[in-house]
Amino acid sequence: MAFTVEDAPWWTRATVYQVYPRSFQDSDGDGVGDLRGIASRLDHLEALGVDVVWLSPIYRSPQDDNGYDISDYQDVDPVFGTLEDLDELIGALHARGMKLVMDLVVNHTSDEHPWFVESRSSVDSPKRDWYWWRPPREGMAPGQPGAEPTNWHSFFSGSTWELDEASGEYYLHLFSRKQPDLNWENPEVRQAVYAMMRWWLDRGVDGFRMDVINLISKNTSLPDGPVVAGVWGDGSAHYTDGPRVHEFLQEMHREVFDGREGALLTVGETPGVTLEEARRYTDPARREVDMVFQFEHVGLDHGPGGKFDPRPLRLTDLKATFGRWQAGLADAGWNSLYWDNHDQPRVVSRFGDDGRYRRESAKALATLLHLHRGTPYVYQGEELGMTNAHFTRFDQYRDIESLNHVAQSRALGTATDEQLLAGLAAMSRDNARTPVQWDGSPQAGFTTGTPWLAVNPNHVEVNAAAEQADPASVLHHYRRLIALRHADPVVALGDFTMLLPRDEQVYAFTRTLGDDALLVVVNVSGEDARVDLGDGWPAAADGGWGELVLGTHDGPGEPTVLRPWEARVVRRRG
Ligand code: TEU
């Protein structure tokens, strides 16, 4: 059943803001952002109008994957501050009417987590079965090439199996070797996770963003996958949306969320999820999670060589994807809407124009996304139209995925250094991780020290202080989009209809609720666009589309001609 204005959950009108703590605001000059830094920037978030802050991991961690490798789920890493700092941040957000959602990373722990240290200590350890330990392949010796229990390729290059010399057995890690996968088949593991989650909710957090939650249930017979990279195979069919994943999430809901779900937000990160599975995860009647992050639209520019071999986006592909997800979750389930996060390049560089039309294209793409049906997520700096890093040397990168990709490609001889640098410049996760540009001062107001990842030199023009002072800025446009969703039920709940599905220049759709209708038209190009919507939205007697609710450009412009990267939201009643 679709939500109605009367019964829709609060998060249908909410906008979530993602903070990547390492790069948000440093308070102590060590070059790494921290909790006190976040607390000092709440005016910015409140003025933006966001309802929820999602905090990427701040738990104790060796920082092999910037905190997605956790060694203590119930403490804060000293680099980010203390538990008291976190309590203060939660209190300060609540005092301003904002919620805090924590990142929940429970597909894997750090190899330095006491659970794994214990598990590794002996084949007879009571925690041996908390992780995926397997002997070498039948008839092969530990460490022999090809002796890994499966041929699976890790998300971060190489095998998903690491040999433990002491026991002669391998453990599974879908991500880095310092991120061993937990064995969710073991009920003790699940209960330990649920207890930890309850502890956080009791402490005042308002929900969880669940890291790779659709990878927690593996096919326990661990079959090989088709070969994709050198000797490595794609094992994803054997761990994506696995056999028991819905059972586990329903159990989690019962054990952790029952009775308090009304105030919470739960969102699953689900790489490779299909629409059919997404409906299962998010149908409220099934009591799993509120919404998931799907990955189809951020895969449309991946080329034949994968993510680091990008090709231009075709607008008609984007329409087909978003249109299908809008329709597929119209009567059950719910979409989350995002362009950017800490794993994706910056949208203005990726699908927009970060040169001449940076400001216009950032606003146009934001309008396109935020007017869809679903809960929008804004990643730090996106509201400023921050661009990719435009690094030109390998030594500027820090991200483990990028660095491992370079090492593997060189070893296999699959790309030249020039190709590798081009791939990283377009797609590396570090593009999103450069420090937030607060002002035009030497380190952009992020730190008084040396930032862990270089500040983008364009902070001299692109920064929050300058945009705050300019009503035509990207920042002010994001504020208007968020306010519109709060004010206007048709934005949150209206039916979605795609127009012009075969047009490669203009993205257009309608939203309708009762006798209220919005038209959204976006010129996704640097040339003028003459738009004929035909029967989809016939022009009125004055030749125009209706009353302008929100636009990206000054002045009315011609009635049905959009200027480069212009977006308009117009209303018609009755
Ligand atoms: O990401 C999982 C994921 O599937 C990808 O986005 C991944 O980061 C990579 O870009 C694939 O090319 C989540 C986190 O968001 C990411 O930061 C972590 O590195 C990863 O899980 C492991 O915890």
mmCIF file of all heavy atoms in Angstrom, residues 231-263:
data_model
loop_
_atom_site.group_PDB
_atom_site.id
_atom_site.type_symbol
_atom_site.label_atom_id
_atom_site.label_comp_id
_atom_site.label_asym_id
_atom_site.label_seq_id
_atom_site.Cartn_x
_atom_site.Cartn_y
_atom_site.Cartn_z
ATOM 1 N N VAL A 231 43.051 -14.274 -12.497
ATOM 2 C CA VAL A 231 42.543 -15.584 -12.062
ATOM 3 C C VAL A 231 41.293 -15.448 -11.206
ATOM 4 O O VAL A 231 40.685 -16.444 -10.816
ATOM 5 C CB VAL A 231 43.621 -16.353 -11.252
ATOM 6 C CG1 VAL A 231 44.839 -16.599 -12.115
ATOM 7 C CG2 VAL A 231 44.005 -15.598 -9.978
ATOM 8 N N TRP A 232 40.905 -14.219 -10.907
ATOM 9 C CA TRP A 232 39.823 -14.034 -9.925
ATOM 10 C C TRP A 232 38.439 -14.054 -10.559
ATOM 11 O O TRP A 232 38.249 -13.600 -11.688
ATOM 12 C CB TRP A 232 40.031 -12.730 -9.144
ATOM 13 C CG TRP A 232 41.389 -12.667 -8.516
ATOM 14 C CD1 TRP A 232 42.334 -11.715 -8.726
ATOM 15 C CD2 TRP A 232 41.959 -13.608 -7.603
ATOM 16 N NE1 TRP A 232 43.457 -12.001 -7.993
ATOM 17 C CE2 TRP A 232 43.260 -13.158 -7.294
ATOM 18 C CE3 TRP A 232 41.508 -14.788 -7.006
ATOM 19 C CZ2 TRP A 232 44.110 -13.840 -6.431
ATOM 20 C CZ3 TRP A 232 42.353 -15.472 -6.145
ATOM 21 C CH2 TRP A 232 43.633 -15.005 -5.868
ATOM 22 N N GLY A 233 37.483 -14.532 -9.785
ATOM 23 C CA GLY A 233 36.112 -14.666 -10.271
ATOM 24 C C GLY A 233 35.153 -13.741 -9.541
ATOM 25 O O GLY A 233 35.454 -13.213 -8.473
ATOM 26 N N ASP A 234 33.980 -13.552 -10.131
ATOM 27 C CA ASP A 234 32.931 -12.733 -9.527
ATOM 28 C C ASP A 234 32.048 -13.638 -8.667
ATOM 29 O O ASP A 234 31.246 -14.403 -9.195
ATOM 30 C CB ASP A 234 32.120 -12.070 -10.640
ATOM 31 C CG ASP A 234 30.938 -11.293 -10.102
ATOM 32 O OD1 ASP A 234 30.808 -11.165 -8.855
ATOM 33 O OD2 ASP A 234 30.129 -10.821 -10.924
ATOM 34 N N GLY A 235 32.190 -13.518 -7.369
ATOM 35 C CA GLY A 235 31.413 -14.370 -6.457
ATOM 36 C C GLY A 235 30.103 -13.742 -6.031
ATOM 37 O O GLY A 235 29.378 -14.307 -5.207
ATOM 38 N N SER A 236 29.766 -12.579 -6.602
ATOM 39 C CA SER A 236 28.665 -11.792 -6.025
ATOM 40 C C SER A 236 27.335 -12.537 -5.985
ATOM 41 O O SER A 236 26.536 -12.322 -5.075
ATOM 42 C CB SER A 236 28.517 -10.453 -6.756
ATOM 43 O OG SER A 236 28.292 -10.656 -8.135
ATOM 44 N N ALA A 237 27.114 -13.453 -6.964
ATOM 45 C CA ALA A 237 25.851 -14.206 -6.948
ATOM 46 C C ALA A 237 25.724 -15.050 -5.683
ATOM 47 O O ALA A 237 24.618 -15.435 -5.298
ATOM 48 C CB ALA A 237 25.768 -15.113 -8.179
ATOM 49 N N HIS A 238 26.837 -15.306 -5.017
ATOM 50 C CA HIS A 238 26.810 -16.195 -3.852
ATOM 51 C C HIS A 238 26.807 -15.455 -2.515
ATOM 52 O O HIS A 238 26.793 -16.084 -1.471
ATOM 53 C CB HIS A 238 27.994 -17.167 -3.923
ATOM 54 C CG HIS A 238 28.090 -17.850 -5.256
ATOM 55 N ND1 HIS A 238 27.060 -18.616 -5.762
ATOM 56 C CD2 HIS A 238 29.041 -17.829 -6.215
ATOM 57 C CE1 HIS A 238 27.390 -19.050 -6.968
ATOM 58 N NE2 HIS A 238 28.589 -18.580 -7.276
ATOM 59 N N TYR A 239 26.835 -14.120 -2.582
ATOM 60 C CA TYR A 239 26.706 -13.371 -1.318
ATOM 61 C C TYR A 239 25.822 -12.127 -1.419
ATOM 62 O O TYR A 239 25.640 -11.417 -0.428
ATOM 63 C CB TYR A 239 28.088 -13.009 -0.736
ATOM 64 C CG TYR A 239 29.018 -12.253 -1.671
ATOM 65 C CD1 TYR A 239 28.794 -10.917 -1.983
ATOM 66 C CD2 TYR A 239 30.125 -12.891 -2.240
ATOM 67 C CE1 TYR A 239 29.646 -10.229 -2.835
ATOM 68 C CE2 TYR A 239 30.990 -12.205 -3.095
ATOM 69 C CZ TYR A 239 30.748 -10.880 -3.391
ATOM 70 O OH TYR A 239 31.592 -10.203 -4.231
ATOM 71 N N THR A 240 25.300 -11.783 -2.603
ATOM 72 C CA THR A 240 24.424 -10.615 -2.721
ATOM 73 C C THR A 240 22.970 -11.043 -2.508
ATOM 74 O O THR A 240 22.511 -11.979 -3.163
ATOM 75 C CB THR A 240 24.566 -9.973 -4.120
ATOM 76 O OG1 THR A 240 25.947 -9.683 -4.351
ATOM 77 C CG2 THR A 240 23.760 -8.689 -4.226
ATOM 78 N N ASP A 241 22.254 -10.379 -1.598
ATOM 79 C CA ASP A 241 20.858 -10.749 -1.303
ATOM 80 C C ASP A 241 20.772 -12.261 -1.052
ATOM 81 O O ASP A 241 19.919 -12.949 -1.620
ATOM 82 C CB ASP A 241 19.926 -10.338 -2.461
ATOM 83 C CG ASP A 241 20.049 -8.860 -2.796
ATOM 84 O OD1 ASP A 241 20.150 -8.045 -1.863
ATOM 85 O OD2 ASP A 241 20.065 -8.527 -4.004
ATOM 86 N N GLY A 242 21.655 -12.743 -0.209
ATOM 87 C CA GLY A 242 21.804 -14.182 0.010
ATOM 88 C C GLY A 242 20.604 -14.851 0.647
ATOM 89 O O GLY A 242 19.625 -14.191 1.012
ATOM 90 N N PRO A 243 20.680 -16.200 0.791
ATOM 91 C CA PRO A 243 19.510 -16.998 1.149
ATOM 92 C C PRO A 243 18.795 -16.578 2.440
ATOM 93 O O PRO A 243 17.583 -16.643 2.516
ATOM 94 C CB PRO A 243 20.065 -18.415 1.311
ATOM 95 C CG PRO A 243 21.496 -18.391 0.874
ATOM 96 C CD PRO A 243 21.885 -16.993 0.536
ATOM 97 N N ARG A 244 19.533 -16.102 3.458
ATOM 98 C CA ARG A 244 18.879 -15.813 4.745
ATOM 99 C C ARG A 244 18.812 -14.320 5.073
ATOM 100 O O ARG A 244 18.482 -13.938 6.196
ATOM 101 C CB ARG A 244 19.608 -16.560 5.869
ATOM 102 C CG ARG A 244 19.561 -18.074 5.711
ATOM 103 C CD ARG A 244 20.249 -18.792 6.869
ATOM 104 N NE ARG A 244 19.538 -18.646 8.130
ATOM 105 C CZ ARG A 244 20.014 -19.047 9.311
ATOM 106 N NH1 ARG A 244 21.212 -19.610 9.381
ATOM 107 N NH2 ARG A 244 19.308 -18.879 10.425
ATOM 108 N N VAL A 245 19.124 -13.462 4.105
ATOM 109 C CA VAL A 245 19.258 -12.041 4.444
ATOM 110 C C VAL A 245 17.956 -11.433 4.971
ATOM 111 O O VAL A 245 17.963 -10.652 5.926
ATOM 112 C CB VAL A 245 19.838 -11.233 3.248
ATOM 113 C CG1 VAL A 245 18.871 -11.172 2.072
ATOM 114 C CG2 VAL A 245 20.251 -9.833 3.681
ATOM 115 N N HIS A 246 16.815 -11.811 4.379
ATOM 116 C CA HIS A 246 15.548 -11.226 4.853
ATOM 117 C C HIS A 246 15.199 -11.763 6.245
ATOM 118 O O HIS A 246 14.706 -11.020 7.099
ATOM 119 C CB HIS A 246 14.429 -11.497 3.851
ATOM 120 C CG HIS A 246 14.668 -10.825 2.529
ATOM 121 N ND1 HIS A 246 14.534 -9.469 2.353
ATOM 122 C CD2 HIS A 246 15.061 -11.317 1.328
ATOM 123 C CE1 HIS A 246 14.815 -9.148 1.097
ATOM 124 N NE2 HIS A 246 15.153 -10.264 0.456
ATOM 125 N N GLU A 247 15.470 -13.025 6.452
ATOM 126 C CA GLU A 247 15.257 -13.602 7.785
ATOM 127 C C GLU A 247 16.089 -12.840 8.829
ATOM 128 O O GLU A 247 15.583 -12.475 9.898
ATOM 129 C CB GLU A 247 15.677 -15.079 7.737
ATOM 130 C CG GLU A 247 15.643 -15.783 9.062
ATOM 131 C CD GLU A 247 16.446 -17.099 9.037
ATOM 132 O OE1 GLU A 247 16.589 -17.712 7.949
ATOM 133 O OE2 GLU A 247 16.948 -17.491 10.106
ATOM 134 N N PHE A 248 17.349 -12.569 8.500
ATOM 135 C CA PHE A 248 18.211 -11.854 9.453
ATOM 136 C C PHE A 248 17.684 -10.444 9.719
ATOM 137 O O PHE A 248 17.671 -9.979 10.865
ATOM 138 C CB PHE A 248 19.654 -11.767 8.930
ATOM 139 C CG PHE A 248 20.367 -13.095 8.828
ATOM 140 C CD1 PHE A 248 21.463 -13.244 7.978
ATOM 141 C CD2 PHE A 248 19.960 -14.198 9.576
ATOM 142 C CE1 PHE A 248 22.135 -14.457 7.881
ATOM 143 C CE2 PHE A 248 20.631 -15.414 9.481
ATOM 144 C CZ PHE A 248 21.715 -15.550 8.629
ATOM 145 N N LEU A 249 17.265 -9.740 8.675
ATOM 146 C CA LEU A 249 16.797 -8.365 8.879
ATOM 147 C C LEU A 249 15.481 -8.334 9.651
ATOM 148 O O LEU A 249 15.251 -7.428 10.458
ATOM 149 C CB LEU A 249 16.674 -7.642 7.537
ATOM 150 C CG LEU A 249 18.023 -7.211 6.960
ATOM 151 C CD1 LEU A 249 17.843 -6.564 5.588
ATOM 152 C CD2 LEU A 249 18.750 -6.242 7.884
ATOM 153 N N GLN A 250 14.635 -9.319 9.414
ATOM 154 C CA GLN A 250 13.382 -9.366 10.193
ATOM 155 C C GLN A 250 13.676 -9.665 11.659
ATOM 156 O O GLN A 250 13.054 -9.096 12.555
ATOM 157 C CB GLN A 250 12.421 -10.375 9.573
ATOM 158 C CG GLN A 250 11.835 -9.821 8.273
ATOM 159 C CD GLN A 250 11.012 -10.813 7.483
ATOM 160 O OE1 GLN A 250 10.795 -11.942 7.910
ATOM 161 N NE2 GLN A 250 10.567 -10.396 6.316
ATOM 162 N N GLU A 251 14.642 -10.534 11.881
ATOM 163 C CA GLU A 251 15.042 -10.832 13.259
ATOM 164 C C GLU A 251 15.613 -9.571 13.918
ATOM 165 O O GLU A 251 15.279 -9.241 15.059
ATOM 166 C CB GLU A 251 16.089 -11.949 13.251
ATOM 167 C CG GLU A 251 16.590 -12.333 14.631
ATOM 168 C CD GLU A 251 17.684 -13.394 14.547
ATOM 169 O OE1 GLU A 251 18.842 -13.059 14.176
ATOM 170 O OE2 GLU A 251 17.381 -14.562 14.850
ATOM 171 N N MET A 252 16.471 -8.860 13.196
ATOM 172 C CA MET A 252 17.045 -7.616 13.723
ATOM 173 C C MET A 252 15.935 -6.629 14.084
ATOM 174 O O MET A 252 15.956 -5.988 15.139
ATOM 175 C CB MET A 252 17.984 -6.987 12.684
ATOM 176 C CG MET A 252 18.552 -5.644 13.099
ATOM 177 S SD MET A 252 19.327 -4.766 11.728
ATOM 178 C CE MET A 252 20.840 -5.683 11.536
ATOM 179 N N HIS A 253 14.957 -6.524 13.194
ATOM 180 C CA HIS A 253 13.850 -5.594 13.457
ATOM 181 C C HIS A 253 13.145 -5.966 14.773
ATOM 182 O O HIS A 253 12.919 -5.103 15.628
ATOM 183 C CB HIS A 253 12.868 -5.623 12.281
ATOM 184 C CG HIS A 253 11.923 -4.465 12.267
ATOM 185 N ND1 HIS A 253 11.872 -3.536 11.265
ATOM 186 C CD2 HIS A 253 11.002 -4.063 13.167
ATOM 187 C CE1 HIS A 253 10.972 -2.618 11.550
ATOM 188 N NE2 HIS A 253 10.423 -2.935 12.691
ATOM 189 N N ARG A 254 12.838 -7.249 14.923
ATOM 190 C CA ARG A 254 12.177 -7.709 16.157
ATOM 191 C C ARG A 254 13.040 -7.430 17.385
ATOM 192 O O ARG A 254 12.562 -6.951 18.404
ATOM 193 C CB ARG A 254 11.936 -9.226 16.097
ATOM 194 C CG ARG A 254 10.721 -9.654 15.330
ATOM 195 C CD ARG A 254 10.354 -11.106 15.658
ATOM 196 N NE ARG A 254 11.448 -12.060 15.538
ATOM 197 C CZ ARG A 254 11.849 -12.631 14.391
ATOM 198 N NH1 ARG A 254 11.248 -12.335 13.263
ATOM 199 N NH2 ARG A 254 12.841 -13.501 14.387
ATOM 200 N N GLU A 255 14.317 -7.751 17.279
ATOM 201 C CA GLU A 255 15.206 -7.702 18.448
ATOM 202 C C GLU A 255 15.640 -6.278 18.796
ATOM 203 O O GLU A 255 16.024 -6.028 19.927
ATOM 204 C CB GLU A 255 16.452 -8.557 18.193
ATOM 205 C CG GLU A 255 16.160 -10.022 17.936
ATOM 206 C CD GLU A 255 16.127 -10.830 19.219
ATOM 207 O OE1 GLU A 255 16.798 -10.433 20.187
ATOM 208 O OE2 GLU A 255 15.424 -11.860 19.246
ATOM 209 N N VAL A 256 15.646 -5.390 17.804
ATOM 210 C CA VAL A 256 16.221 -4.059 18.050
ATOM 211 C C VAL A 256 15.202 -2.929 17.892
ATOM 212 O O VAL A 256 15.184 -1.999 18.684
ATOM 213 C CB VAL A 256 17.419 -3.800 17.096
ATOM 214 C CG1 VAL A 256 18.046 -2.441 17.394
ATOM 215 C CG2 VAL A 256 18.453 -4.913 17.196
ATOM 216 N N PHE A 257 14.378 -2.999 16.853
ATOM 217 C CA PHE A 257 13.560 -1.824 16.504
ATOM 218 C C PHE A 257 12.130 -1.884 17.028
ATOM 219 O O PHE A 257 11.469 -0.853 17.073
ATOM 220 C CB PHE A 257 13.530 -1.626 14.978
ATOM 221 C CG PHE A 257 14.893 -1.498 14.366
ATOM 222 C CD1 PHE A 257 15.234 -2.205 13.220
ATOM 223 C CD2 PHE A 257 15.850 -0.673 14.943
ATOM 224 C CE1 PHE A 257 16.496 -2.086 12.653
ATOM 225 C CE2 PHE A 257 17.119 -0.554 14.391
ATOM 226 C CZ PHE A 257 17.437 -1.267 13.247
ATOM 227 N N ASP A 258 11.648 -3.064 17.387
ATOM 228 C CA ASP A 258 10.242 -3.197 17.775
ATOM 229 C C ASP A 258 9.849 -2.169 18.825
ATOM 230 O O ASP A 258 10.531 -2.005 19.833
ATOM 231 C CB ASP A 258 9.984 -4.608 18.337
ATOM 232 C CG ASP A 258 9.215 -5.457 17.340
ATOM 233 O OD1 ASP A 258 9.111 -5.021 16.170
ATOM 234 O OD2 ASP A 258 8.734 -6.531 17.722
ATOM 235 N N GLY A 259 8.753 -1.468 18.562
ATOM 236 C CA GLY A 259 8.231 -0.525 19.537
ATOM 237 C C GLY A 259 8.842 0.850 19.423
ATOM 238 O O GLY A 259 8.298 1.823 19.921
ATOM 239 N N ARG A 260 10.017 0.975 18.788
ATOM 240 C CA ARG A 260 10.588 2.316 18.673
ATOM 241 C C ARG A 260 10.794 2.762 17.227
ATOM 242 O O ARG A 260 11.365 3.826 16.989
ATOM 243 C CB ARG A 260 11.880 2.470 19.459
ATOM 244 C CG ARG A 260 12.808 1.295 19.568
ATOM 245 C CD ARG A 260 13.972 1.729 20.508
ATOM 246 N NE ARG A 260 14.792 0.644 20.966
ATOM 247 C CZ ARG A 260 15.709 0.769 21.921
ATOM 248 N NH1 ARG A 260 15.903 1.920 22.511
ATOM 249 N NH2 ARG A 260 16.438 -0.262 22.284
ATOM 250 N N GLU A 261 10.288 1.960 16.274
ATOM 251 C CA GLU A 261 10.604 2.253 14.867
ATOM 252 C C GLU A 261 10.026 3.579 14.391
ATOM 253 O O GLU A 261 10.583 4.177 13.474
ATOM 254 C CB GLU A 261 10.181 1.114 13.926
ATOM 255 C CG GLU A 261 8.733 0.673 13.995
ATOM 256 C CD GLU A 261 8.536 -0.459 14.972
ATOM 257 O OE1 GLU A 261 8.540 -0.164 16.191
ATOM 258 O OE2 GLU A 261 8.350 -1.607 14.569
ATOM 259 N N GLY A 262 8.929 4.051 15.011
ATOM 260 C CA GLY A 262 8.286 5.267 14.517
ATOM 261 C C GLY A 262 9.200 6.475 14.471
ATOM 262 O O GLY A 262 9.086 7.334 13.605
ATOM 263 N N ALA A 263 10.149 6.548 15.418
ATOM 264 C CA ALA A 263 11.027 7.721 15.497
ATOM 265 C C ALA A 263 12.343 7.506 14.765
ATOM 266 O O ALA A 263 13.137 8.432 14.645
ATOM 267 C CB ALA A 263 11.300 8.042 16.963
#
